[in-house]
Amino acid sequence: MTETTIRRADTADADRLTALIQASDAYRGEYFAMIDGYRVTPGYLSRHEVFLAVDADTDRLLGFYGMIREPAELDLMFVADETQGLGIGRKLITDMLDRARVAGIASVKVVSHPPAEGFYLRMGAERTGTRPPQVRTPWAQPELRFTV
């Protein structure tokens, strides 16, 4: 793989972000309900800060995150299955924290997919609680916080 570039998503990226989510092996089995029918829409991309990690030479999508500023929360984060373990997630978290710092944000909340909790802890988040089961997520979810 060549160099990874992180850039702001635009509305034309909606379909490929949706495709990356729908292809995620991390949401198979009991966790499928969370992404079943989920779409990243052009409207979502217009309203939220979404950043893509792409291969600098080919523009191949490697991963992305979406951040809500008020209150600050990591809303979405996905890394393509075939690029997991290559540091893409770390680059995305670093980018998110750098942008939060520049914006004067003191902390960023994360409601984690249960299998991803260890990743967020390794990236420096701290566990703050547990979100009870919801309609689309009928299991408890770890709540974490990054201090910026």
Side-chain angles (χ1 to χ4, degrees):
M1 181 164 33
T2 61
E3 183 180 339
T4 300
T5 300
I6 296 181
R7 68 167 176 82
R8 179 90 184 243
D10 61 41
T11 57
D13 292 308
D15 287 342
R16 70 185 193 151
L17 296 177
T18 296
L20 186 124
I21 290 171
Q22 294 300 319
S24 177
D25 285 343
Y27 290 87
R28 297 297 167 239
E30 70 177 300
Y31 297 117
F32 182 69
M34 190 171 183
I35 64 165
D36 186 20
Y38 186 87
R39 296 196 47 76
V40 176
T41 65
Y44 178 89
L45 294 173
S46 295
R47 291 186 313 276
H48 296 81
E49 295 184 24
V50 179
F51 292 89
L52 316 178
V54 297
D55 182 294
D57 291 336
T58 65
D59 199 44
R60 179 174 68 118
L61 179 60
L62 309 173
F64 75 97
Y65 73 88
M67 187 173 84
I68 298 170
R69 281 202 183 207
E70 192 57 43
E73 182 173 351
L74 180 64
D75 188 45
L76 294 170
M77 182 167 164
F78 284 83
V79 174
D81 289 346
E82 67 275 8
T83 62
Q84 290 183 11
L86 300 178
I88 303 302
R90 178 178 296 279
K91 287 179 183 179
L92 289 168
I93 291 294
T94 299
D95 186 78
M96 185 258 317
L97 293 173
D98 288 347
R99 291 177 194 279
R101 191 173 298 108
V102 168
I105 294 169
S107 65
V108 179
K109 177 182 177 178
V110 178
V111 178
S112 179
H113 176 47
E117 179 181 17
F119 166 76
Y120 292 120
L121 292 171
R122 287 190 304 278
M123 294 301 103
E126 61 181 314
R127 178 92 184 250
T128 58
T130 302
R131 180 179 167 190
Q134 309 287 311
V135 173
R136 287 189 70 91
T137 54
W139 53 85
Q141 292 179 279
E143 290 185 341
L144 303 107
R145 178 182 57 233
F146 283 102
T147 300
V148 179

